[in-house]
């Protein structure tokens, strides 16, 4: 507990919430804790830590279930719309999150390189990377929509509605991470982000990985991202290739990256009660015209003798 609460987080500008489970009188499931942080100014939350580990002597899936269920229950009051978890691709871990409503939306392989190669002559090419500015946000949003599949965009909260932001536009502080853009002929053709950590750097790339010809994507690595990372960012360099980026693994293997681990990105969409004003049409009863008194009245019916159809005898002989 002391290690978790005293860890210096690289995103020191945001606060982390810690939930502690302490249940007396229960042999297996009696204590644990969960840490979660708000994702910047967005209405998203990232799960940072769940303890104890499931493979620990005191670990049990029910501990995680109780902590995650409580977090989901409190998420609406905290203003969260989505809760994300980055889980190792192991059945027990994935199924534990799935039991409380988390859904897998992306599988990733994390690659690592201790000494990324520097391509000879890369400094003299026309591919120039410049730090992102506010004027690049609209082009970055178009690049994101073009290179990321729809189901990933929906899971990341980008549904095309007005007011929805693009995740790659949310930049960290300059000393923690920088987004670089690449333009060719005035058009934005690619982008990448470098994030600094205590034990290395994290590289993210946005480019069209679905084209049969991977020349542009290879240029983005060799003549832009690796050139900027060389000598300026701590090693090793990590990169996560998603399952929809099919041909990027071949490029990483050629550049000296090696598979490090497999991860699963999961999301839980928070259901909240929303009060809205709706029209409720009521049935209108048609009223009659106004009744006006008058002096005219119909005559009263008079009583008349009952007439018989039987002829009356007049007294004359037949």
């Amino acid at each position: 507990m002391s290690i978790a609460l005293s860890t210096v987080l690289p995103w020191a500008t945001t606060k982390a919430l810690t939930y502690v489970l302490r249940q007396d009188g229960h042999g297996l499931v009696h204590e644990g804790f969960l840490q979660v942080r708000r994702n910047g100014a967005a209405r998203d939350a990232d799960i940072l830590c769940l303890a104890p580990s499931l493979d620990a002597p005191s670990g049990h899936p029910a501990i995680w279930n109780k902590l995650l269920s409580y977090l989901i229950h409190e998420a609406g009051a905290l203003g969260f719309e989505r809760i994300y978890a980055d889980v190792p691709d192991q059945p027990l871990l994935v199924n534990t999150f799935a039991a409380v409503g988390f859904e897998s939306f992306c599988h990733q392989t994390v690659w690592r390189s201790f000494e990324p190669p520097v391509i000879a002559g890369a400094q003299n090419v026309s591919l120039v990377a410049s730090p992102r500015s506010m004027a690049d946000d609209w082009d970055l949003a178009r690049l994101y929509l073009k290179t990321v599949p729809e189901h990933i965009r929906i899971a990341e909260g980008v549904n095309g509605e007005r007011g929805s932001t693009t995740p790659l536009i949310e930049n960290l502080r300059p000393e923690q991470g920088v987004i670089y853009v690449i333009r060719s002929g005035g058009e934005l053709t690619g982008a990448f982000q470098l994030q600094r950590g205590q034990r290395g750097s994290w590289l993210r790339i946005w480019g069209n990985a679905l084209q049969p010809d991977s020349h542009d994507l290879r240029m983005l690595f060799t003549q832009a991202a690796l050139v900027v990372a060389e000598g300026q960012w701590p090693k090793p360099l990590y990169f996560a290739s998603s399952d929809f980026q099919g041909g990027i693994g071949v490029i990483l293997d050629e550049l000296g990256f090696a598979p490090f681990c497999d991860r699963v990105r999961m999301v839980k969409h928070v259901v909240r009660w929303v009060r809205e004003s709706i029209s409720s049409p009521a049935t209108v009863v048609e009223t009659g015209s106004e009744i006006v008194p008058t002096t005219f009245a119909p005559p009263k019916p008079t009583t008349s003798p009952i007439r018989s159809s039987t002829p009356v005898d007049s007294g004359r002989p037949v």
Side-chain angles (χ1 to χ4, degrees):
M1 179 69 73
S2 60
I3 296 175
L5 298 180
S6 62
T7 301
V8 179
L9 302 177
W11 44 84
T13 56
T14 59
K15 294 183 179 180
L17 302 174
T18 301
Y19 297 95
V20 178
L21 170 66
R22 195 173 298 276
Q23 185 177 4
D24 298 331
H26 200 290
L28 292 177
V29 184
H30 62 279
E31 61 181 2
F33 72 91
L34 162 70
Q35 281 187 325
V36 62
R37 75 172 178 96
R38 185 183 298 273
N39 189 1
R43 296 180 179 179
D44 303 337
D46 293 327
I47 295 178
L48 301 179
C49 180
L50 269 166
S53 175
L54 296 185
D55 56 359
S58 59
H60 196 280
I63 299 177
W64 288 21
N65 288 341
K66 290 186 177 182
L67 289 168
L68 291 172
S69 299
Y70 185 83
L71 172 63
I72 295 172
H73 182 268
E74 294 291 315
L78 295 172
F80 296 150
E81 295 182 355
R82 288 166 297 275
I83 305 174
Y84 294 100
D86 192 352
V87 184
D89 194 0
Q90 300 175 9
L92 179 59
L93 299 175
V94 174
N95 293 336
T96 301
F97 277 87
V100 293
F102 280 79
E103 299 178 356
S104 303
F105 68 92
C106 184
H107 292 258
Q108 293 182 331
T109 299
V110 179
W111 299 70
R112 180 176 62 179
S113 177
F114 290 93
E115 290 295 335
V118 178
I119 307 302
Q123 298 284 358
N124 301 323
V125 298
S126 58
L127 197 62
V128 179
S130 58
R132 162 249 179 184
S133 63
M134 298 294 294
D136 300 320
D137 288 355
W138 188 75
D139 289 331
L140 283 171
R142 292 181 57 195
L143 178 65
Y144 174 83
L145 296 176
K146 184 172 63 175
T147 58
V148 178
E150 182 180 5
H151 72 280
I152 303 294
R153 301 198 304 264
I154 295 176
E156 293 180 344
V158 183
N159 51 14
E161 298 180 355
R162 181 174 298 180
S164 60
T165 59
T166 306
L168 62 90
I169 296 179
E170 299 173 359
N171 197 10
L172 298 175
R173 294 186 301 177
E175 65 271 18
Q176 296 175 354
V178 180
I179 292 180
Y180 295 89
V181 297
I182 300 171
R183 292 187 176 273
S184 177
E187 182 181 357
L188 192 145
T189 58
F192 63 93
Q193 182 186 47
L194 284 166
Q195 291 179 284
R196 188 186 309 272
Q198 296 181 355
R199 299 182 180 179
S201 302
W202 191 268
L203 173 64
R204 301 176 67 190
I205 281 184
W206 291 273
N208 195 347
L210 303 179
Q211 291 182 349
D213 186 6
S214 61
H215 177 264
D216 294 340
L217 195 62
R218 190 184 305 272
M219 294 273 289
L220 185 59
F221 271 100
T222 59
Q223 299 183 4
L226 297 183
V227 174
V228 174
E230 177 64 24
Q232 302 181 27
W233 298 84
K235 307 292 176 47
L237 190 63
Y238 293 89
F239 182 87
S241 62
S242 302
D243 48 7
F244 63 88
Q245 298 172 328
I248 204 170
V250 178
I251 300 177
L252 293 170
D253 184 65
E254 294 177 356
L255 295 177
F257 285 80
F260 178 66
C261 65
D262 293 325
R263 312 285 295 183
V264 179
R265 296 180 62 191
M266 307 186 71
V267 62
K268 168 63 180 176
H269 295 275
V270 179
V271 179
R272 297 187 301 167
W273 289 100
V274 178
R275 180 175 296 177
E276 296 181 351
S277 299
I278 61 175
S279 59
S280 179
T283 304
V284 178
V285 180
E286 296 183 0
T287 58
S289 59
E290 184 179 0
I291 300 176
V292 180
T294 179
T295 57
F296 173 78
K300 295 181 179 181
T302 57
T303 60
S304 59
I306 299 176
R307 296 180 180 181
S308 175
S309 59
T310 306
V312 179
D313 186 4
S314 58
R316 296 179 183 181
V318 179

